[in-house]
Amino acid sequence: MAVARIFGKSSMEALQRETDRLAALERLDLLDTPRDEGFDRIVRLIKAVFAVDIGLVSLIDAHRQWYKACSGLSSDEVSREDTFCRHVVDREEPIVVTDATKDQRFSYHPAVTGETHIRFYAGVPLKTKEGHIIGTVCAIDRSPRSFGNRELAILEELAGAAMDRIELLQSAATDSLTEALTRRAFKQEADLFISLALRHQHDLSCIVLDIDHFKQVNDTYGHAAGDEVLKSVAATCKAALRAGDLFGRLGGEEFAIILPHVDREGAVAVAEKVRSAISSQPVCGDYGTLSVTASLGIAGLSIVSKDIETLLAQADAAMYQAKNRGRNRCVSWSTVQAEHTMGSRRRVLKAGSILFNDRRSTIDCTVKSLGIDSAGLSVSSSAGIPPEFVLSIKGEGFETNCQIIAQDRQNLEVVFR
């Protein structure tokens, strides 16, 4: 009742729609997944068919618009508040802006007034079969232009093709670039490994590794060089592992390993072996010779960490610590746990707010995993966020004090105080 009094009926309906939308996006588990040629082809088609500068297929979570495929822009995501596409999600219908300088919603937008120089925008919803809008498909240009019903119908067909591709990827087991398991397939297989370990009471460990300074490789040498680095790291990892180990690609430059019948001490030794192998294997090409390193986090099966989401959350937290301690190193969750406890987690996708400075400062975030005593958060930038703050989950009446235990530039692991 208190929430209803504060927000009103229409606001409550909007909050419920957003909650349902994020839940649909969470079920697909597509955010921050690797590039895919099928989506790249769609954005190339958008540019060719409409003769525009920019083609875009995006997913929109609680705080950002993330580009699953993009041609014509250098960034890979933007704050949700700073994107034209939030209006498509809010209105749940296509939007066409023939000249942004003459549209009061966008005429003062930095993308219009600044160097990006956006003038034309056409965005249509990326909609699931259940009707949830999880993102957008867009044609964007730096010159004003007309866009009739025929063009809009074609863009909607391309959005349908993008959604078909999403549905197809739900059954994909192998990442086409690295031949590692996809994130979804890795988690499914990991659940089976964990069930066996619990049933037969044998050890199991998890390693998460992230390639150091990978964005600089893409920005400096291009995506082709980045792809070669990814393939090299994946091949090096697989060569260092046993046939029965599980190896998957969680995101762009993040991989994970499940080690059955290996305790935490043994997993630290395996992680060090993998780290050393990666650092001693330079990647060579037309761009020259690149030295590659990775940061690794290790977590072991326990009475608390007996599901894949909790194991990954603990290994992630340890990996962020490895990054913070200088990169190219291995850190075990047990060393982080000496100072902080973390119970079991479940994967979620919820809209949250980070409140600090006596609640005068607010930063939107996406809650990615949640337990009774901890959470994993995603932010546009972790710079400036203090070590302790208040986390609020919108529309749920949830609010608690938090302390950061590990972080990188866009992710926070926090425990509740």
Side-chain angles (χ1 to χ4, degrees):
M1 290 294 292
V3 174
R5 284 198 299 271
I6 293 170
F7 290 107
K9 184 177 179 181
S10 61
S11 296
M12 287 295 294
E13 290 172 349
L15 279 170
Q16 189 59 54
R17 283 198 306 272
E18 177 68 0
T19 299
D20 294 343
R21 187 189 74 79
L22 289 174
L25 183 57
E26 181 269 333
R27 286 191 294 272
L28 292 170
D29 197 14
L30 274 170
L31 286 165
D32 301 306
T33 50
R35 288 169 48 220
D36 175 79
E37 176 58 27
F39 293 105
D40 290 342
R41 185 174 292 117
I42 289 172
V43 298
R44 290 196 298 268
L45 274 171
I46 290 171
K47 292 180 66 175
V49 169
F50 302 117
V52 293
D53 295 326
I54 300 161
L56 191 66
V57 176
S58 78
L59 301 173
I60 299 175
D61 64 15
H63 77 283
R64 61 172 175 157
Q65 178 180 20
W66 177 72
Y67 304 154
K68 179 61 183 172
C70 178
S71 179
L73 291 174
S74 58
S75 60
D76 56 9
E77 65 178 58
V78 66
S79 169
R80 181 169 170 173
E81 289 301 309
D82 294 335
T83 177
F84 285 32
C85 293
R86 69 182 179 89
H87 296 278
V88 176
V89 173
D90 292 344
R91 293 176 55 175
E92 300 185 327
E93 62 184 19
I95 289 179
V96 175
V97 180
T98 57
D99 186 349
T101 64
K102 298 178 180 177
D103 190 306
Q104 63 179 358
R105 294 169 297 179
F106 308 114
S107 58
Y108 294 103
H109 193 285
V112 176
T113 60
E115 294 180 0
T116 312
H117 198 77
I118 300 302
R119 292 296 177 266
F120 166 78
Y121 169 87
V124 300
L126 188 59
K127 186 180 295 187
T128 68
K129 291 177 181 178
E130 296 76 23
H132 301 298
I133 298 173
I134 58 170
T136 56
V137 174
C138 309
I140 303 170
D141 203 47
R142 294 184 172 90
S143 299
R145 58 183 300 134
S146 59
F147 203 77
N149 291 334
R150 178 178 177 276
E151 288 85 357
L152 187 60
I154 293 172
L155 189 61
E156 289 178 320
E157 285 296 316
L158 289 169
M163 200 64 227
D164 289 343
R165 181 65 181 168
I166 288 173
E167 295 293 338
L168 181 63
L169 287 177
Q170 298 304 294
S171 60
T174 305
D175 173 57
S176 59
L177 179 67
T178 64
E179 298 183 353
L181 290 173
T182 63
R183 183 164 71 190
R184 178 179 287 269
F186 175 84
K187 288 183 177 181
Q188 289 173 342
E189 290 292 316
D191 282 335
L192 294 176
F193 278 46
I194 291 169
S195 294
L196 285 171
L198 292 171
R199 185 181 310 150
H200 299 293
Q201 297 183 337
H202 64 68
D203 292 315
L204 179 143
S205 295
C206 175
I207 299 172
V208 168
L209 69 95
D210 188 88
I211 301 172
D212 295 328
H213 303 298
F214 182 74
K215 187 176 186 299
Q216 291 182 16
V217 174
N218 279 336
D219 291 347
T220 304
Y221 303 103
H223 284 290
D227 287 349
E228 289 302 314
V229 169
L230 290 166
K231 288 191 288 186
S232 174
V233 167
T236 300
C237 289
K238 285 185 280 189
L241 299 174
R242 302 168 301 176
D245 297 332
L246 207 59
F247 179 67
R249 186 180 178 193
L250 299 185
E253 67 269 31
E254 187 176 18
F255 298 88
I257 300 164
I258 291 292
L259 302 170
H261 301 281
V262 176
D263 61 17
R264 269 175 284 203
E265 289 73 20
V268 170
V270 173
E272 182 57 34
K273 177 183 176 182
V274 170
R275 185 207 62 77
S276 178
I278 292 171
S279 64
S280 61
Q281 183 65 50
V283 180
C284 303
D286 296 338
Y287 39 81
T289 300
L290 302 178
S291 297
V292 181
T293 64
S295 299
L296 297 89
I298 304 103
L301 197 65
S302 71
I303 191 66
V304 172
S305 55
K306 54 185 179 180
D307 59 83
I308 187 58
E309 294 301 334
T310 306
L311 273 172
L312 288 174
Q314 292 178 347
D316 264 338
M319 183 267 290
Y320 297 147
Q321 289 280 13
K323 294 277 190 186
N324 293 337
R325 295 177 189 179
R327 298 182 171 86
N328 189 25
R329 65 192 63 216
C330 306
V331 172
S332 172
W333 164 248
S334 60
T335 65
V336 182
Q337 189 182 24
E339 300 178 13
H340 308 284
T341 59
M342 179 193 292
S344 62
R345 293 272 192 95
R346 71 185 193 280
R347 183 166 62 90
V348 298
L349 207 63
K350 295 178 179 289
S353 295
I354 293 171
L355 312 175
F356 57 97
N357 192 21
D358 291 329
R359 306 178 74 93
R360 292 192 296 271
S361 299
T362 302
I363 294 176
D364 287 337
C365 68
T366 298
V367 183
K368 298 191 302 179
S369 62
L370 186 64
I372 60 172
D373 56 7
S374 61
L377 313 178
S378 174
V379 293
S380 294
S381 172
S382 63
I385 298 178
E388 296 187 3
F389 56 82
V390 174
L391 172 65
S392 171
I393 298 181
K394 300 175 182 177
E396 295 192 7
F398 178 93
E399 194 169 285
T400 188
N401 294 317
C402 294
Q403 180 183 350
I404 297 174
I405 60 171
Q407 70 185 95
D408 68 1
R409 64 187 182 89
Q410 290 185 309
N411 297 280
L412 302 172
E413 289 291 334
V414 302
V415 291
F416 303 153
R417 312 302 293 177

